[in-house]
Amino acid sequence: MTSTTPIQGNNQGRISRRFAELKQQNRAGLVTFISAGDPDYDTGLNNLIALSESGADVIELGMPFTDPMADGASIQKSSLRALTAGQNMQKTLQMVRELRKKDQDTPLVLMGYYNPIYCMGVDTFLAQAAEAGVDGLIVVDLPPEHDDELCVPAQKHGINFIRLATPTTDAKRLPMVLENTSGFLYYVSSTGVTGAAAPTPEKVEGEVSAIRAHTDIPIAVGFGIRTPEQAERIAKFADAVVVGSALTDCVENAATPAAGTDAIAELTRSLAKAVREAR
């Protein structure tokens, strides 16, 4: 059985502590996603703080990129809005610093693609991310074969590297996926892009159980979860429930930036309540 990879650094333990707390409380966690700087820096920061204050147990903050190939229309548009407003990696890291002035406890994971990190320089990025208060990375286009490029250096900086598994991750591939994964495993419950229709909870539960036979790392389930009712069903068996597209839709559909922030806070509160009451 594979366990969480030990890491060293000044951020050691924030994700592990949160999942230990959730286990002690006998409940699943709520993992929320928004794109950094959507629709602009100031509003994006307000949205980030709203997640923190409204019940998110872990926050995924998207690193906007021009070619988000694994994302559906909602997150693609959120990334484009942020880039159009001038969001870049330095501003994204600054948002993390601003959040840490208010919240030292909620784990924060940067999620996105390798290109912006590579362009900044891996060593520079990791040093600044650790200093800002980043706890984990999800980089969807770096497979395990390239662990030496970012995954292993990240863990040396005290930053968890969170891997994705999918329904097509077979028994032969799974050990390689799990080998250097730390923090938690993100189980993508459906094939395709983010925001796609979710499979039945019964099917996902069986797939998650099969993965648990190979690891004791927490498993967060996402893709296609949009409502409190859906989140509650997944929370009955997953260690955490991930919601992203529904939150980025709050920004797109809002009449004003402030209304978008209010909608994000309201949805997060309702999702958090559903997750907490699932067991």
Side-chain angles (χ1 to χ4, degrees):
M1 181 173 288
T2 302
S3 60
T4 303
T5 304
I7 62 173
Q8 303 298 321
N10 59 2
N11 292 331
Q12 184 176 3
R14 192 142 42 196
I15 293 176
S16 296
R17 283 199 303 272
R18 179 51 48 92
F19 277 100
E21 292 165 0
L22 295 172
K23 186 174 183 179
Q24 188 174 28
Q25 296 167 18
N26 190 32
R27 70 173 181 89
L30 173 64
V31 181
T32 57
F33 171 94
I34 59 169
S35 292
D38 176 28
D40 55 66
Y41 181 87
D42 290 339
T43 307
L45 179 58
N46 290 339
N47 294 343
L48 181 61
I49 293 170
L51 295 175
S52 167
E53 294 178 345
S54 302
D57 294 298
V58 179
I59 296 172
E60 292 176 1
L61 185 62
M63 302 176 284
F65 179 49
T66 53
D67 188 23
M69 59 188 177
D71 294 311
S74 178
I75 293 177
Q76 283 190 18
K77 287 187 281 189
S78 74
S79 191
L80 180 59
R81 286 192 299 267
L83 291 170
T84 301
Q87 189 72 11
N88 56 34
M89 188 66 79
Q90 290 292 356
K91 289 183 178 180
T92 297
L93 293 174
Q94 185 57 33
M95 288 181 68
V96 179
R97 294 185 188 98
E98 293 297 325
L99 175 69
R100 287 293 174 231
K101 293 177 182 178
K102 296 176 174 288
D103 181 350
Q104 283 289 324
D105 298 320
T106 303
L108 186 138
V109 176
L110 291 181
M111 183 172 185
Y113 300 82
Y114 185 47
N115 183 271
I117 296 171
Y118 177 80
C119 290
M120 185 176 182
V122 169
D123 291 340
T124 300
F125 167 78
L126 290 174
Q128 292 191 22
E131 171 269 325
V134 171
D135 301 293
L137 293 175
I138 300 174
V139 182
V140 299
D141 55 348
L142 267 187
E145 288 82 358
H146 296 276
D147 275 358
D148 288 343
E149 206 155 328
L150 182 62
C151 172
V152 174
Q155 293 178 348
K156 290 178 180 177
H157 279 78
I159 297 174
N160 290 121
F161 201 88
I162 296 144
R163 191 79 68 192
L164 278 69
T166 74
T168 60
T169 304
D170 59 23
K172 183 178 180 181
R173 180 71 174 171
L174 185 60
M176 184 178 292
V177 170
L178 293 171
E179 183 176 1
N180 286 321
T181 296
S182 61
F184 61 93
L185 179 73
Y186 185 166
Y187 183 67
V188 179
S189 60
S190 60
T191 57
V193 297
T194 55
T200 64
E202 293 78 15
K203 183 174 187 294
V204 178
E205 183 174 9
E207 293 163 347
V208 169
S209 295
I211 294 174
R212 288 199 198 281
H214 299 275
T215 183
D216 57 8
I217 194 170
I219 301 173
V221 175
F223 275 51
I225 301 168
R226 304 184 63 86
T227 67
E229 292 75 21
Q230 290 173 326
E232 182 179 359
R233 288 196 291 271
I234 299 297
K236 291 182 183 298
F237 60 84
D239 296 301
V241 178
V242 186
V243 179
S245 295
L247 290 163
T248 57
D249 283 348
C250 290
V251 178
E252 180 179 4
N253 298 332
T256 65
T261 302
D262 290 343
I264 284 173
E266 182 178 357
L267 178 57
T268 302
R269 284 192 293 268
S270 65
L271 290 165
K273 183 174 185 290
V275 166
R276 283 164 170 76
E277 295 176 353
R279 298 181 186 174

